[in-house]
Amino acid sequence: MSRVGKCIDNGPMEGFWGTLKSESFYGLKFNDEQALRNKIEEYIFFYNNYRFQKNIKGMTPNEVRYHANCNFIYF
């Protein structure tokens, strides 16, 4: 964790929420909170399993986690 007044810890989540809004929500209106929650859950599933990331060599976040766990050496 960074020190007080240093917002570096917020960067990844701010980026994720910005991407989520730009790719899924602009121009949409929801009738109730549950519909919004369902749309967010759908997007998080899509983001982790199907959305290729340029900065992680064209893999999805779950593929990166899988490869990291397979290459982990236990002592």
Side-chain angles (χ1 to χ4, degrees):
M1 298 295 292
S2 64
R3 295 183 188 193
V4 175
K6 304 287 184 188
C7 60
I8 191 83
D9 296 332
N10 294 336
M13 281 312 299
E14 292 288 337
F16 171 77
W17 287 110
T19 302
L20 176 128
K21 290 190 293 185
S22 68
E23 291 184 357
S24 293
F25 295 112
Y26 286 132
L28 296 180
K29 294 191 179 201
F30 296 93
N31 295 326
D32 60 358
E33 182 181 339
Q34 192 58 44
L36 176 63
R37 287 178 181 264
N38 290 341
K39 185 69 172 172
I40 291 172
E41 288 176 7
E42 288 174 16
Y43 183 78
I44 290 172
F45 182 81
F46 165 75
Y47 188 91
N48 284 325
N49 295 295
Y50 297 107
R51 186 179 184 274
F52 298 109
Q53 309 281 322
K54 183 179 178 183
N55 60 344
I56 52 177
K57 300 181 182 176
M59 294 189 286
T60 66
N62 280 343
E63 288 174 330
V64 172
R65 281 186 215 102
Y66 174 77
H67 290 297
N69 288 335
C70 289
N71 295 329
F72 185 74
I73 299 172
Y74 295 97
F75 291 99

